[in-house]
Amino acid sequence: MDALALLRPLGAAALVAFAPLAASAQTRAAEPSGRVEELLSKMTLEEKIGQLNMVSIVPNVEPGYDRIVKGIAAGSVGSVYNVHGADDTRALQREAVENSRLKIPLFLALDVIHGYRTIFPTPLAQAASWDLAAMEKAERVAAREASASGINMIFAPMLDVSRDPRWGRGVEGIGESAWLGARIAEARVRGLQGSDLKERGNVVSCAKHFGANGAAAGGRDYTASDLSDRAVREIYMPPFEAATKAGARCFMAALNANDGVPSAANSHLIEEVLRKDWRFDGIVTSDFLAVNEIVNHGVAADQADASRIAINAGTDVDMESQAYVNRLPELVRSGAVSPARLDAAVRRVLTLKEDLGLFDDPYRGATPEGEKAALLTQANRDAAQDIAEKSLVLLKNEGGVLPFARDVKRVGLVGPLAEGQADTLGPWAARGVPPETSTLAKGLAERLGSSAELTVTAGGSTFGSSDDEIAAAVETARRSDVVVLAVGERFNQSGEAASRADLGLPGDQERLVRAVLAVGKPTAVVVFAGRPLVLTDIAVRAKALLYAWQPGTMGGLAIARTLMGDVAPVGRLPMTFPRAVGQIPTTHDQRPGGRPPETPEKPYTSSYSDEGHAPLFAFGYGLTYTSFHYGPPKLDRDAIKDGETAKVSVSIRNVGERPGVAMAQLYLRPEVAAVSQPAKVLRGFGRVELAPGETKTVTLPVSVADFSYWRTASDFVATPGPIRIMTGPNAGDTQDATLVYKP
Ligand code: BGC
């Protein structure tokens, strides 16, 4: 077995039911490019370093615009980000390709995290769809829109496995599962880059934040983590490795440090793991100011020291610190950074510019007219609505409150999130325009038309509610046949630098919910949020609970159609929902320890004295408008050898009265291994559509890679013996079978 095969982590069971839109393998041929080598031979030291300098500029807003334009002409800027709009991107690109000595085009980058102008549900919401084809499509649309406005590099996908709901940046990510995260990484990279980078409409995908950014201690953004090599390899690396296999050509090193090493200074991860083991041939940029912050971490004495450490660690591009332009000339002259190291970084930048087609097609077709035609088209809105519908998670529906009757006459919409435009879009909404958003109020009005009367009452804000405001909300509920409570977080309560210690509904919303529920009308609580909130009290009181995340431009209509039963919810939680903040971590894949928690809780086991062990909602949980019976897992063999694939079948019957989509999930655990294994860990899923009374079988593959674990300093291996195979509708509800690994 070659080294790469050994390193291939836990993802061989990728046979989930989806059809990728485009095959992608963007790694370039090994031979050096004549054009790149010729350019390199002509460049001054300062011009080379300029290619490693990435700066932010918002034209007409930031004062430094003229200085940056001069820098581009002087060859001291290689990439610009935060610029957008065909006029402005063209103006900067023109400066580079017409007025600089060597006419090297710019990377023009932007954070397009969940859509450019057509805003899709947040990435965490998209992860809740478990629909890889829809996620790929969302990125396709985002790439096309951004590209039409002259952007050629996107700082996405964000691949930080996030296991702590307190961390605000989980909203940008892939949820808690390394395996699901890896599948999402592949889909999103394919969507952004397509199969040929040169093709207009495709952009460079910059996977971030390389390292273990999602492990920030206590969920506090930017905070260091202290992870074992095993945790890094098994939990945090698989999505990044998957991104390289899907062809991602840019990586962004995170702001935080792990095991005392800031990510932009982590030569082990960048040079050994990313470049050598995974054969990544793209560029690595620092995150915003991360080179300067190596000094703050206390790992460099000053900016020069930080520059030396970062470039020697393999960080090619300096985002925003201006450390490389200021310090590298002297460092190269003094020999602290070798000319070969500098040339390698510059060569990677120029090679990627060439592979993107920038030398021959620097504007990539971006024109103001083309841009207008490409943004927020009906097709793009349809794609956004499709995945918004698929990302909604029905958490409770006691007594079949939902869907509401089609002939309902009076609908009361209550709560501070009913008309929140920016709050419906979510954080990092790129060029999304809040008034273009289908809020829940707009969506319900559109869906109900003149067939029902809709009354909207805010009941206060997310900051607080007066008694009068709550009384008005209660009055609306009294006068309605059915009530929708729209509550949750503001858009800026999640995202960067938006960690929270308290995960309840902000302001007085819990009081508002209790008062409105007490009216006793059929009520659906719809929660808008960028993370799992702690909804323990509401989940007891409410009969119907729908998690809407931040569903984007078409979110309101998507929710309205779901409430009215035009479509049924199919989303499943990509993160475990805790009952209390103090239970965190609650991920599905924890090790049992020597004294596993028992139900009911026993003393001297791993549990809390004042709270149960089970989460409020398990990973993978989600209901729909019918119900299913899941049979036990059936194996096509008793034992598995290296190179084989076992088939696990689950028979599912629709025991409800409506058609619906069931989703079987596959978890496993080696019973005995050299190191203790998680009690269960996700390794596959498959969907099936069932008419009432119908039974169908979902078949999922398992191979040895799925139960291999990081064992020594260098490889994934599996231990011979029994493997517990678990299947069911979510991580909290599985049945077992045993497969024996006999190599
Ligand atoms: C964030 C990155 C982002 C960069 C550029 C940083 O603060 O951590 O995710 O890409 O800014 O906007």
Side-chain angles (χ1 to χ4, degrees):
M1 212 189 285
D2 71 8
L4 265 187
L6 276 172
L7 281 162
R8 188 164 48 103
L10 323 165
L15 275 175
V16 288
F18 77 102
L21 295 183
S24 178
Q26 305 258 358
T27 40
R28 53 173 293 117
E31 68 274 7
S33 139
R35 168 148 54 190
V36 167
E37 294 308 315
E38 196 193 327
L39 267 176
L40 260 177
S41 72
K42 288 186 187 155
M43 292 168 95
T44 64
L45 177 61
E46 281 69 22
E47 282 168 334
K48 288 180 180 175
I49 293 167
Q51 286 303 305
L52 310 184
N53 186 27
M54 180 186 272
V55 297
S56 162
I57 186 65
V58 183
N60 311 318
V61 174
E62 285 175 38
Y65 186 68
D66 292 342
R67 190 172 38 82
I68 288 176
V69 171
K70 283 196 191 116
I72 294 170
S76 65
V77 172
S79 313
V80 178
Y81 68 101
N82 277 341
V83 64
H84 57 85
D87 278 330
D88 289 341
T89 53
R90 286 184 72 96
L92 292 181
Q93 196 64 290
R94 194 176 310 118
E95 204 58 37
V97 298
E98 289 181 13
N99 296 339
S100 72
R101 186 177 79 92
L102 293 173
K103 313 203 175 324
I104 301 173
L106 297 166
F107 284 132
L108 294 158
L110 193 71
D111 290 284
V112 178
I113 305 300
H114 52 118
Y116 179 75
R117 174 73 167 270
T118 307
I119 302 301
F120 286 77
T122 60
L124 184 63
Q126 293 187 37
S129 75
W130 297 52
D131 190 323
L132 302 169
M135 287 183 243
E136 183 172 333
K137 179 87 186 283
E139 293 295 48
R140 206 78 287 279
V141 170
R144 292 235 158 94
E145 286 196 352
S147 182
S149 114
I151 306 299
N152 54 40
M153 172 184 279
I154 282 181
F155 297 144
M158 193 278 227
L159 300 178
D160 303 339
V161 174
S162 42
R163 300 161 71 78
D164 187 334
R166 293 172 295 182
W167 190 50
R169 299 204 79 171
V171 68
E172 298 167 52
I174 49 184
E176 74 185 38
S177 159
W179 186 91
L180 181 60
R183 305 288 81 74
I184 293 174
E186 292 156 359
R188 302 190 77 140
V189 169
R190 277 197 305 264
L192 291 170
Q193 292 198 169
S195 53
D196 175 7
L197 260 190
K198 284 199 170 71
E199 204 178 282
R200 290 176 173 182
N202 294 338
V203 295
V204 172
S205 157
C206 204
K208 67 188 189 183
H209 307 86
F210 188 52
N213 198 40
R220 286 194 304 280
D221 214 359
Y222 315 120
T223 305
S225 52
D226 263 303
L227 298 168
S228 65
D229 194 31
R230 182 186 323 288
V232 171
R233 289 294 193 144
E234 291 182 355
I235 300 172
Y236 294 93
M237 289 296 110
F240 286 108
E241 185 181 9
T244 62
K245 291 213 166 111
R249 294 296 303 278
C250 170
F251 263 48
M252 186 189 293
L255 290 165
N256 78 335
N258 181 50
D259 192 18
V261 185
S263 302
N266 195 328
S267 62
H268 169 67
L269 279 188
I270 298 173
E271 291 291 12
E272 296 299 316
V273 177
L274 177 62
R275 291 211 164 103
K276 196 159 147 254
D277 296 347
W278 299 348
R279 299 183 190 168
F280 173 74
D281 63 357
I283 64 166
V284 175
T285 173
S286 79
D287 197 347
F288 189 95
L289 290 179
V291 175
N292 280 352
E293 288 178 17
I294 296 174
V295 178
N296 303 358
H297 282 286
V299 169
D302 53 26
Q303 196 185 50
D305 207 18
S307 304
R308 177 185 59 79
I309 291 171
I311 193 156
N312 284 337
T315 301
D316 301 317
V317 172
D318 165 13
M319 187 199 290
E320 206 59 24
S321 291
Q322 309 274 324
Y324 285 6
V325 271
N326 289 337
R327 306 295 174 185
L328 276 185
E330 180 49 30
L331 288 166
V332 175
R333 282 189 198 109
S334 72
V337 172
S338 71
R341 169 63 71 172
L342 175 68
D343 281 2
V346 179
R347 185 177 286 113
R348 285 191 283 260
V349 168
L350 296 178
T351 302
L352 185 51
K353 287 184 174 180
E354 183 178 49
D355 290 352
L356 188 56
L358 285 183
F359 288 107
D360 301 316
D361 188 15
Y363 306 101
R364 309 189 86 230
T367 61
E369 307 73 50
E371 176 183 18
K372 240 184 240 148
L375 304 185
L376 203 72
T377 62
Q378 189 56 47
N380 295 356
R381 289 156 55 96
D382 289 348
Q385 185 179 324
D386 175 62
I387 192 163
E389 288 171 1
K390 289 171 170 163
S391 67
L392 303 175
V393 185
L394 183 64
L395 296 173
K396 191 172 176 190
N397 193 21
E398 200 177 294
V401 169
L402 291 176
F404 292 136
R406 279 167 188 264
D407 58 356
V408 63
K409 285 289 164 251
R410 293 178 307 171
V411 177
L413 173 61
V414 168
L417 273 295
E419 296 183 286
Q421 299 173 340
D423 297 328
T424 303
L425 294 183
W428 289 109
R431 311 317 306 160
V433 178
E436 291 171 354
T437 312
S438 171
T439 61
L440 187 45
K442 277 198 209 163
L444 270 172
E446 182 178 344
R447 170 58 184 79
L448 296 170
S450 56
S451 72
E453 182 193 325
L454 176 69
T455 308
V456 183
T457 308
S461 76
T462 48
F463 295 98
S465 304
S466 66
D467 290 347
D468 286 351
E469 286 167 327
I470 291 187
V474 165
E475 191 46 35
T476 296
R478 279 210 186 98
R479 282 192 274 106
S480 303
D481 303 326
V482 299
V483 180
V484 181
L485 262 162
V487 292
E489 293 184 316
R490 293 184 296 285
F491 78 96
N492 54 3
Q493 284 184 305
S494 60
E496 186 172 353
S499 299
R500 289 184 63 197
D502 173 2
L503 297 181
L505 291 174
D508 292 321
Q509 293 181 89
E510 303 236 357
R511 190 159 68 94
L512 173 71
V513 170
R514 280 198 294 273
V516 171
L517 288 177
V519 175
K521 294 293 172 74
T523 301
V525 180
V526 178
V527 180
F528 293 80
R531 54 158 62 79
L533 292 177
V534 171
L535 298 171
T536 310
D537 184 62
I538 289 174
V540 172
R541 292 170 194 268
K543 289 204 162 59
L545 184 56
L546 183 73
Y547 219 73
W549 314 99
Q550 287 138 332
T553 300
M554 299 305 292
L557 186 58
I559 300 168
R561 280 167 42 80
T562 304
L563 295 174
M564 296 308 296
D566 305 338
V567 287
V570 288
R572 303 286 189 277
L573 298 179
M575 286 178 81
T576 309
F577 275 43
R579 297 179 57 81
V581 172
Q583 280 185 319
I584 295 169
T586 46
T587 58
H588 73 283
D589 49 358
Q590 310 216 12
R591 294 186 166 80
R595 296 186 178 195
E598 311 258 351
T599 312
E601 276 75 17
K602 284 191 194 157
Y604 301 102
T605 58
S606 171
S607 44
Y608 297 102
S609 59
D610 58 351
E611 182 53 273
H613 181 77
L616 182 62
F617 297 112
F619 175 78
Y621 184 81
L623 305 170
T624 186
Y625 291 154
T626 186
S627 38
F628 302 103
H629 175 266
Y630 287 72
K634 297 238 165 70
L635 295 164
D636 70 338
R637 69 197 69 208
D638 298 330
I640 185 170
K641 289 198 186 74
D642 291 323
E644 289 184 351
T645 302
K647 292 201 176 87
V648 182
S649 303
V650 189
S651 132
I652 309 176
R653 184 154 49 92
N654 183 344
V655 294
E657 280 155 23
R658 295 165 182 269
V661 176
M663 195 175 96
Q665 297 163 30
L666 170 75
Y667 299 85
L668 53 74
R669 163 180 164 82
E671 298 280 22
V672 179
V675 288
S676 173
Q677 294 297 300
K680 58 179 63 163
V681 63
L682 180 78
R683 286 294 181 264
F685 68 94
R687 268 182 286 258
V688 72
E689 204 167 339
L690 294 165
E694 193 180 10
T695 301
K696 280 186 190 161
T697 298
V698 172
T699 302
L700 300 164
V702 172
S703 70
V704 176
D706 290 316
F707 47 84
S708 298
Y709 53 94
W710 186 249
R711 179 148 166 205
T712 68
S714 63
D715 61 355
F716 279 85
V717 293
T719 301
I723 310 297
R724 192 189 308 164
I725 302 292
M726 292 160 268
T727 57
N730 62 70
D733 180 7
T734 56
Q735 302 178 65
D736 301 7
T738 300
L739 178 68
V740 180
Y741 172 44
K742 288 189 189 159

